[in-house]
Amino acid sequence: MKEVELKILDMSSVLKPSDSFALVLEEVGGEERKLALIIGAVEAQGIKMAERHYMPPRPFTHDLLLNVMAVGRLQCLKGVIYQVKNGIYSTYLYIRRADGEVDVVDARTSDAIVLSLRAGFPLYVYEDILEKEHLRNISSDGSSYTMSINSVDIDMLKRAMDEAVQCEDYERASQLRDEIRKRENEENNKN
């Protein structure tokens, strides 16, 4: 599958007073398509610290991992976002061992982003995911946009449904209700 390189474009808080943030990643070159990931405050803090090259007095978890990898002569070559499901982005890290072999390790996307910023390896997304999930209807100032429903978790869908009902947008509320039911049925069928 074709991989498209990404860079961090912006991060902003959403759903006040929630502790959620929208992290916007942008395609490098090309069409400059954008992805929005909803992350928590702790993940946002880790990304901001890595962007600013802040080194804490004692190693945080990401720093510890990179230190252990260095001692073990492991090198992260790249991160690749390979899946988006129910608002959760999943990423593979490609790790080269000392013997030259490459292993693939599953990671949270927010962790992969922090490691990428700290260690300097590139972050990619599969082309088909970027095409399906990229932001649409972006306002001229970038302050509003439309996200794919797949990029949002079930709790956010429920809040959006409640807002749609309050605004008497019953068509949107019924679409959200249907998506919530679909996801809950999928989850129940797994168990």
Side-chain angles (χ1 to χ4, degrees):
M1 253 181 240
K2 182 181 176 196
E3 298 171 358
V4 177
E5 189 172 359
L6 297 171
K7 65 180 180 181
I8 294 176
L9 180 64
D10 192 21
M11 184 172 9
S12 60
S13 59
V14 296
L15 299 174
K16 292 188 175 31
S18 171
D19 64 351
S20 296
F21 291 78
L23 173 66
V24 180
L25 303 175
E26 182 179 49
E27 174 179 13
V28 174
E31 300 173 39
E32 298 181 356
R33 294 168 288 186
K34 297 166 182 62
L35 289 176
L37 290 73
I38 305 301
I39 60 174
V42 172
E43 293 79 6
Q45 180 184 30
I47 290 168
K48 278 296 181 195
M49 287 173 43
E51 279 185 313
R52 294 181 178 144
H53 306 289
Y54 173 75
M55 294 306 293
R58 300 293 302 140
F60 285 176
T61 306
H62 298 104
D63 305 307
L64 173 63
L65 177 60
L66 290 172
N67 291 341
V68 169
M69 289 176 63
V71 168
R73 297 184 19 220
L74 302 171
Q75 177 189 14
C76 196
L77 303 174
K78 66 181 177 179
V80 179
I81 298 172
Y82 69 89
Q83 177 179 291
V84 182
K85 186 172 183 182
N86 298 333
I88 299 170
Y89 283 72
S90 300
T91 300
Y92 287 135
L93 293 176
Y94 288 76
I95 309 290
R96 182 182 308 149
R97 299 188 316 227
D99 64 6
E101 292 294 314
V102 175
D103 291 313
V104 179
V105 179
D106 198 20
R108 292 185 333 154
T109 300
S110 57
D111 290 332
I113 291 169
V114 172
L115 293 171
S116 170
L117 290 167
R118 290 265 192 224
F121 61 83
L123 181 67
Y124 298 93
V125 63
Y126 286 139
E127 169 76 31
D128 61 328
I129 292 173
L130 180 59
E131 185 54 36
K132 186 171 125 187
E133 302 295 331
H134 77 274
L135 299 177
R136 291 171 171 79
N137 306 319
I138 302 173
S139 65
S140 58
D141 66 356
S143 64
S144 65
Y145 45 80
T146 304
M147 294 175 63
S148 161
I149 200 164
N150 191 40
S151 298
V152 181
D153 68 17
I154 199 162
D155 291 333
M156 288 190 84
L157 289 176
K158 288 178 179 177
R159 286 192 296 266
M161 183 179 71
D162 291 343
E163 287 176 18
V165 169
Q166 288 175 359
C167 295
E168 297 182 6
D169 185 353
Y170 300 116
E171 182 178 343
R172 178 86 174 128
S174 67
Q175 291 169 342
L176 292 164
R177 178 205 60 215
D178 293 346
E179 178 66 19
I180 292 165
R181 284 180 181 166
K182 180 182 133 213
R183 290 186 188 184
E184 288 174 341
N185 286 337
E186 286 174 358
E187 190 61 35
N188 289 337
N189 289 337
K190 282 184 190 177
N191 300 330

